[in-house]
């Protein structure tokens, strides 16, 4: 079956630091990959996605590249802000399935 | 505004007392689902629905029921809640097109004592 493994948290950073959250996956086919973000007290919202190998998703300064050879979709941001404090979830869905399979989530706290 | 609305946001109940968490979306989405979020486990799918009157079990369906009588609504029913169902619940909807974004409600924090 499908599974997503994320870097364990929590992660605490200072403002303007570089952020990386590792994500690797196991899938039977050619999945689409997503990063969702959950701000305190809110539901999840899509941060970025990539639907095929070597695609790069980007949004709000965050980037992630779909690496089929390493089955990875690591999230990066070059300079984080306090407002980036949230829980980040890596997720996948197979090309013929609507279901999203989520990683455990990584809590990120950015200090001023 | 496109949104998924869940109610209530917070609920404390006692073991065995039936409850319903409502979910409604205004985007005419075909696909709706329920997840529970537990620390260290991420989100796990409880039930999903491909369209009206079409529902199926997800990964953790035990102790839950759903119905889809109208396209916009997808209530989650706990007939006899137990303490191990204490969790944060999310409803989500997507279009019928694969690889599209899922929209989530704001969550329902359920505590069963």
């Amino acid at each position: 079956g499908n599974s997503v493994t994320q870097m364990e948290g929590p992660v605490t950073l200072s403002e303007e630091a570089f952020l990386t959250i590792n994500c690797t996956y196991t899938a039977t086919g050619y999945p689409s990959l997503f990063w969702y973000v959950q701000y305190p007290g809110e539901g999840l919202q899509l941060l970025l996605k990539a639907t095929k190998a070597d695609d790069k998703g980007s949004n709000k300064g965050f980037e992630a590249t779909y690496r089929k050879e390493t089955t990875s979709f690591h999230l990066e941001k070059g300079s984080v802000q306090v407002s980036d404090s949230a829980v980040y979830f890596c997720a996948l869905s197979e090309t013929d399935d609507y279901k999203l399979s989520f990683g455990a989530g990584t809590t990120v706290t950015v200090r001023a | 505004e496109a949104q998924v609305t869940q109610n209530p946001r917070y609920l404390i109940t006692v073991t065995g007392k039936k409850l319903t968490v409502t979910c409604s979306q205004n985007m005419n989405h075909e696909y709706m689902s329920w997840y529970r979020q537990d620390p260290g486990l991420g989100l796990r799918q409880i039930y999903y629905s491909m369209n009206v009157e079409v529902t199926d079990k997800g990964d953790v369906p035990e102790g839950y029921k759903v119905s889809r009588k109208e396209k916009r609504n997808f209530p989650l029913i706990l007939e006899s809640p137990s303490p191990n169902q204490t969790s944060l619940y999310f409803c989500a909807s997507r279009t019928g097109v694969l690889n599209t974004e899922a929209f989530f409600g704001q969550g329902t924090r359920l505590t069963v004592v």
Side-chain angles (χ1 to χ4, degrees), chain B residues 28-90:
Chain B
N28 202 36
H29 285 169
E30 290 82 5
Y31 185 85
M32 296 185 74
S33 56
W34 277 101
Y35 292 86
R36 59 178 288 172
Q37 181 182 2
D38 301 292
L41 298 176
L43 279 79
R44 294 177 293 167
Q45 191 182 59
I46 302 170
Y47 267 94
Y48 65 94
S49 169
M50 296 294 293
N51 215 322
V52 175
E53 303 292 1
V54 181
T55 64
D56 207 347
K57 297 177 180 178
D59 297 318
V60 288
E62 293 76 22
Y64 304 95
K65 285 176 55 177
V66 293
S67 69
R68 188 93 181 270
K69 293 184 170 58
E70 305 163 285
K71 197 171 186 180
R72 62 184 292 125
N73 295 324
F74 191 47
L76 179 70
I77 303 155
L78 284 72
E79 294 268 1
S80 182
S82 61
N84 64 12
Q85 293 179 298
T86 293
S87 188
L88 179 58
Y89 292 87
F90 288 101

Side-chain angles (χ1 to χ4, degrees), chain A residues 32 34 36 38 41-44 46 49 51 89 93-100 102-104, chain B residues 9 31 35 37 40-43 45 50 59 90 94-96 98-102 104-106:
Chain A
S32 291
F34 305 83
Y36 280 83
Q38 183 182 28
E42 298 184 11
L44 281 74
L46 180 68
K49 72 176 187 181
T51 58
F89 291 94
S93 66
E94 291 280 12
T95 51
D96 59 351
D97 194 355
Y98 295 96
K99 177 187 169 183
L100 280 167
F102 286 90
Chain B
R9 292 288 309 276
Y31 185 85
Y35 292 86
Q37 181 182 2
L41 298 176
L43 279 79
Q45 191 182 59
M50 296 294 293
D59 297 318
F90 288 101
R94 298 173 82 171
T95 70
L98 291 162
N99 304 323
T100 55
E101 174 183 0
F104 285 80
Q106 290 195 292

Side-chain angles (χ1 to χ4, degrees), chain B residues 8-32:
Chain B
R9 292 288 309 276
Y10 302 92
L11 179 59
I12 301 174
T13 190
V14 296
T15 298
K17 185 177 181 181
K18 180 179 179 179
L19 67 91
T20 299
V21 183
T22 64
C23 174
S24 180
Q25 50 95 3
N26 63 359
M27 295 166 280
N28 202 36
H29 285 169
E30 290 82 5
Y31 185 85
M32 296 185 74

Side-chain angles (χ1 to χ4, degrees), chain A residues 5-103:
Chain A
T5 303
Q6 272 183 251
M7 183 174 107
E8 292 281 334
V11 174
T12 302
L13 302 164
S14 298
E15 226 171 6
E16 298 184 5
F18 184 85
L19 170 67
T20 299
I21 304 176
N22 290 340
C23 171
T24 57
Y25 67 89
T26 302
T28 53
Y30 299 94
S32 291
L33 301 173
F34 305 83
W35 276 100
Y36 280 83
V37 59
Q38 183 182 28
Y39 298 106
E42 298 184 11
L44 281 74
Q45 55 186 274
L46 180 68
L47 181 59
L48 53 84
K49 72 176 187 181
T51 58
K52 61 183 188 295
D54 300 324
D55 266 3
K56 178 186 282 189
S58 61
N59 187 24
K60 299 182 181 180
F62 289 89
E63 292 183 340
T65 300
Y66 188 142
R67 299 285 187 204
K68 188 168 179 292
E69 64 275 13
T70 54
T71 61
S72 64
F73 193 54
H74 305 321
L75 182 69
E76 296 181 337
K77 185 173 185 182
S79 177
V80 294
Q81 305 300 312
V82 172
S83 58
D84 293 324
S85 298
V87 182
Y88 292 83
F89 291 94
C90 186
L92 70 82
S93 66
E94 291 280 12
T95 51
D96 59 351
D97 194 355
Y98 295 96
K99 177 187 169 183
L100 280 167
S101 297
F102 286 90

